[in-house]
Amino acid sequence: MAMPVSKPSLAQRWENYQPSKSTLVWACAATAVVTMIVGFSWGGWVTGGTSRTLAATAGDVARGELASVVCVERFKAATDSPAKLTELNAITDSYKRRQFVEAGGWATMPGQTAPDRRAAEGCAAALAA
C-alpha cells in the first residue's frame, strides 16, 4: 500500500520559496512606486516647487498680518483717532474702508512710499470690529 503524499504547510512553502532576481527587482520597484503614491497622496509629501510656493504665501500672509497690527497701532496713536474711528465706522463698504485707511496714511509702512493693501484691509477690519 502506498503512503498518501501530504501537502506541505504554508510555513514550509514560505521557507522553501526562492524568488528569482527579476521577481525581487520588480517587487522592489512596485514597493517604491506604492510608497511614493501613498506619500504624496496621504502622507503630506510635497515637491520642492510646492514647498517654495507655500512658504512664499505664508510669508506674504504673515507680513500682511504684522503690517495690519502696525497700522492699527498707528491709527490709535493719532491725536484725532476717536473722530476718525467714528468716520471709519460710518462707512459700510469694505473697499471704501480700505481706501479710507490708505488715504489716512496708516497703512503705509516705514520705508515704503505706497500703502500696503493687505495691511489696509486687515487694519480696516480690525478697527471696524
Side-chain angles (χ1 to χ4, degrees):
M1 196 168 208
M3 211 92 178
V5 178
S6 67
K7 188 175 177 183
S9 70
L10 182 62
Q12 288 171 336
R13 289 191 321 226
W14 180 260
E15 195 174 302
N16 295 334
Y17 180 66
Q18 296 287 324
S20 66
K21 287 181 183 178
S22 65
T23 303
L24 285 175
V25 168
W26 283 112
C28 288
T31 302
V33 169
V34 169
T35 300
M36 286 187 267
I37 289 171
V38 169
F40 282 105
S41 298
W42 299 294
W45 299 359
V46 293
T47 62
T50 302
S51 177
R52 282 188 289 279
T53 302
L54 291 173
T57 301
D60 290 344
V61 169
R63 200 170 23 258
E65 289 174 359
L66 179 60
S68 294
V69 171
V70 170
C71 176
V72 169
E73 292 303 316
R74 291 176 73 191
F75 184 93
K76 289 181 179 178
T79 56
D80 60 346
S81 69
K84 292 292 184 183
L85 184 59
T86 304
E87 192 177 338
L88 177 70
N89 286 331
I91 302 170
T92 57
D93 185 27
S94 63
Y95 176 75
K96 290 184 180 181
R97 282 184 178 173
R98 179 176 61 87
Q99 285 182 326
F100 179 80
V101 171
E102 287 176 349
W106 303 292
T108 304
M109 295 296 109
Q112 301 294 319
T113 57
D116 184 288
R117 182 173 174 262
R118 281 197 175 120
E121 288 172 353
C123 184
L127 290 169

